[in-house]
Amino acid sequence: MSDQPDHTKTVEDHARVRRGIVGIIAGATLWGINGTVQSWLMRTYSIDPLWLACIRELTACWLFLAAAAATSEGRKQICGVVRDRRGMLEIAVVAFGAILFSQVSYLQAINWTSSAMATIMQSLGMGLVLAWTCLRGRRAPSPREAIGLALAFVGTFLIATGGDPSQLSLPFMGLVWGLTCAASAAVLAILPAQTMKRWGNFTVNGLAFLVSGITLLIFYRPWEHMPVLDGAAIAAIAFAVVVGTLGSYTLYLQGAQDAGPMRASLLGTAEPIAATISTVVFLGTSLAPTDFVGFAMILAMVYLTA
């Protein structure tokens, strides 16, 4: 009988990790599809990326907060964190370190290099997360972690570039923003977990997006960059807010909390798979043989980390 509590705890832990893995993959998939939608919006309607980021954040934040306020526990968390100086400081750190930092650095990395190079540089964050995990646990990487990291990085490289290194252009500012992008991707996988455990997924995301959105509002002034939109553009923006922001961040960050930052960082490479497939389906591009090899490597990594 004395072994029963430990056995029950082990089963619960495995179930939590499995739930986290599903959440991470689902969130990253929605991110990838959202990337295709946003690419179409920016290309078709000449929308500035920062305008789109600002509108997404200032709209999605209220959806997160409404979801939190829909339950008594969520309302307590909202009231509790706004009255807690330390809690609001934690929210501000998540807003700047995990939300604003990651979005701006990725957009700047694309601006100075290319989307392929930005994706590759962002994937370097997996190595930073592994280094942090090992330093925190005072251990060496496990064979599964090392092999999974190699498969994820090479698979991402193949999908992003078609295996052609000549596509990678790296001026000095591209290197700076690319490394910043990698650091912010690692921060996104690590930072919000403890804050969310204390104050809840929807509350943390809602307030962090609100702080980040207000910051963009002040410095970018989106009303000075208003695009001309029709019904299709508005529908696509609504998709980017509800599915690509509310859905993806909720699933990914909850998954990272349940399964851990290392799995979140590795399994987040489902994003380029989803982006590539959705580009084929919606924009009519074609798959290259290297795409299938990259897909296989990332799927093998998923098996290793599950």
Side-chain angles (χ1 to χ4, degrees):
M1 293 295 291
S2 61
D3 293 336
Q4 186 64 29
D6 290 338
H7 174 71
T8 301
K9 185 175 184 300
T10 300
V11 172
E12 291 175 349
D13 287 343
H14 285 319
R16 175 177 52 79
V17 169
R18 286 195 297 270
R19 183 179 68 234
I21 289 171
V22 172
I24 293 164
I25 294 174
T29 299
L30 294 181
W31 259 337
I33 296 171
N34 190 47
T36 301
V37 172
Q38 291 182 112
S39 177
W40 175 79
L41 274 169
M42 291 185 287
R43 184 184 68 184
T44 305
Y45 297 93
S46 301
I47 295 176
D48 190 304
L50 286 179
W51 183 91
L52 192 55
C54 185
I55 297 304
R56 281 174 52 216
E57 291 186 12
L58 288 176
T59 308
C61 67
W62 303 113
L63 299 178
F64 281 116
L65 292 174
T71 65
S72 59
E73 180 64 23
R75 291 191 291 272
K76 289 178 183 177
Q77 289 170 337
I78 294 174
C79 293
V81 72
V82 297
R83 295 172 182 169
D84 187 297
R85 183 174 299 177
R86 180 181 175 184
M88 287 306 296
L89 179 60
E90 291 175 354
I91 295 291
V93 171
V94 171
F96 293 114
I99 305 299
L100 181 64
F101 200 37
S102 63
Q103 294 202 43
V104 172
S105 62
Y106 184 64
L107 292 171
Q108 288 291 349
I110 292 175
N111 182 52
W112 282 96
T113 59
S114 65
S115 58
M117 188 67 220
T119 302
I120 295 298
M121 295 292 282
Q122 184 183 48
S123 70
L124 295 176
M126 295 182 292
L128 297 177
V129 174
L130 179 58
W132 178 85
T133 302
C134 292
L135 286 173
R136 188 184 183 195
R138 297 181 181 181
R139 63 176 179 82
S142 69
R144 279 185 171 232
E145 287 173 333
I147 295 171
L149 179 65
L151 287 171
F153 182 76
V154 175
T156 301
F157 170 80
L158 291 174
I159 294 170
T161 68
D164 182 5
S166 65
Q167 292 192 25
L168 305 183
S169 175
L170 194 60
F172 175 73
M173 287 305 298
L175 175 64
V176 171
W177 281 112
L179 293 177
T180 303
C181 185
S184 65
V187 168
L188 184 63
I190 296 169
L191 186 62
Q194 291 303 314
T195 305
M196 284 170 43
K197 188 177 294 185
R198 184 179 180 191
W199 300 111
N201 186 335
F202 291 123
T203 298
V204 171
N205 274 311
L207 292 175
F209 269 81
L210 178 60
V211 171
S212 179
I214 290 174
T215 303
L216 279 175
L217 186 74
I218 293 171
F219 289 97
Y220 177 69
R221 298 190 294 273
W223 56 87
E224 296 180 357
H225 308 269
M226 282 296 298
V228 178
L229 305 175
D230 57 17
I234 293 172
I237 291 171
F239 176 91
V241 170
V242 177
V243 178
T245 304
L246 177 67
S248 66
Y249 273 84
T250 298
L251 290 166
Y252 179 84
L253 293 179
Q254 184 62 51
Q257 181 181 336
D258 289 337
M262 191 64 233
R263 284 191 177 93
S265 183
L266 290 172
L267 296 173
T269 51
E271 178 187 355
I273 292 181
T276 301
I277 293 175
S278 59
T279 300
V280 171
V281 173
F282 297 112
L283 302 184
T285 60
S286 58
L287 289 173
T290 50
D291 290 325
F292 292 104
V293 176
F295 293 168
M297 286 184 168
I298 291 176
L299 291 174
M301 176 275 299
V302 171
Y303 173 78
L304 284 173
T305 57

